[in-house]
Amino acid sequence: GAVVSQHPSWVICKSGTSVKIECRSLDFQATTMFWYRQFPKQSLMLMATSNEGSKATYEQGVEKDKFLINHASLTLSTLTVTSAHPEDSSFYICSARGPRGDEQFFGPGTRLTVL
Amino acid sequence: DAKTTQPPSMDCAEGRAANLPCNHSTISGNEYVYWYRQIHSQGPQYIIHGLKNNETNEMASLIITEDRKSSTLILPHATLRDTAVYYCIVRVGNSGGFKTIFGAGTRLFVKA
């Protein structure tokens, strides 16, 4: 089956630094990828939709200048949390739309802790 | 997209069938019912989806009512590893603009 990977699986950083999270579709090409954030004991919240070669579409309330998304190739999307603060600590999950068009495959998530 | 309503939590005995209900009374004719689950600290896992007919795969069965306003996910023989949060989602299928919005889900506890 289709596999989506994320790197790193966890990261700890100091407040004020920037962190980049990678999302890769390993055995298929994904023109569309999605980024979610999940706080403890809460559901996944869609942050943005990333389309290869174009600007991401952000959900209402998500700061596009803080959460930079780049989808430069058909197998890679990156999320950069700029000037991270403790309140940005969360579980970040990406997913990729599958080749059939109606499937969505999720990565294992990246746990970000900002000290 | 249509919204769904699920019970916040359910218990099930190991080896028994787990029946997880979902209400989606405002579902549109072109929207599918999808089920995902999320085991603690992992990414969501696809389980099954359907439009109007009942569906079965190696993981589960999906029963959709005739009026499509509700559905039930059935795990025929629950194991301890099925303990997870189960999300029922409705969305269009093969469409350029689809996005999956998660509700609160049902936290299923499978007990020995």
Side-chain angles (χ1 to χ4, degrees):
Chain A
V3 179
V4 175
S5 71
Q6 286 184 237
H7 178 80
S9 56
W10 60 269
V11 56
I12 301 173
C13 70
K14 293 183 178 180
S15 185
T17 61
S18 295
V19 175
K20 180 185 285 188
I21 302 170
E22 293 184 347
C23 177
R24 293 183 185 273
S25 55
L26 297 186
D27 48 4
F28 66 100
Q29 293 183 331
T31 56
T32 303
M33 291 184 173
F34 306 89
W35 286 96
Y36 292 83
R37 179 169 56 179
Q38 185 176 34
F39 293 108
K41 298 190 184 299
Q42 295 186 23
S43 185
L44 287 78
M45 185 195 79
L46 180 65
M47 299 175 68
T49 301
S50 166
N51 294 297
E52 188 266 338
S54 63
K55 290 184 179 181
T57 302
Y58 290 81
E59 294 298 304
Q60 192 172 9
V62 178
E63 300 174 60
K64 60 181 66 176
D65 293 331
K66 180 167 184 63
F67 299 99
L68 301 179
I69 292 172
N70 185 288
H71 193 159
S73 79
L74 288 171
T75 59
L76 174 64
S77 176
T78 61
L79 168 69
T80 301
V81 183
T82 62
S83 186
H85 291 284
E87 56 265 31
D88 298 322
S89 298
S90 188
F91 193 49
Y92 291 86
I93 303 168
C94 76
S95 71
R97 187 176 171 188
R100 214 173 59 196
D102 61 346
E103 312 151 294
Q104 189 173 356
F105 302 100
F106 287 83
T110 296
R111 186 160 302 281
L112 170 64
T113 302
V114 184
L115 302 177
Chain B
D1 287 349
K3 293 184 178 179
T4 62
T5 305
Q6 298 177 253
S9 67
M10 293 182 64
D11 289 346
C12 177
E14 188 180 22
R16 298 290 188 124
N19 298 292
L20 291 88
C22 179
N23 286 321
H24 31 80
S25 59
T26 60
I27 191 170
S28 301
N30 63 343
E31 289 182 315
Y32 288 71
V33 180
Y34 283 79
W35 283 84
Y36 291 85
R37 74 179 183 183
Q38 185 180 27
I39 295 170
H40 183 63
S41 294
Q42 297 182 25
Q45 176 190 23
Y46 165 81
I47 300 173
I48 199 167
H49 76 283
L51 183 62
K52 54 183 177 181
N53 297 321
N54 297 337
E55 301 287 344
T56 296
N57 62 21
E58 64 278 4
M59 289 182 68
S61 294
L62 173 60
I63 308 298
I64 302 174
T65 58
E66 194 168 342
D67 63 8
R68 302 210 321 125
K69 293 185 177 183
S70 65
S71 61
T72 301
L73 177 74
I74 300 173
L75 307 179
H77 306 286
T79 69
L80 299 179
R81 286 181 291 183
D82 291 322
T83 292
V85 179
Y86 288 77
Y87 297 100
C88 167
I89 293 156
V90 294
R91 64 165 172 82
V92 296
N94 188 357
S95 166
F98 90 69
K99 55 186 180 182
T100 300
I101 305 297
F102 286 81
T106 295
R107 190 172 295 273
L108 176 67
F109 295 95
V110 181
K111 300 182 177 181

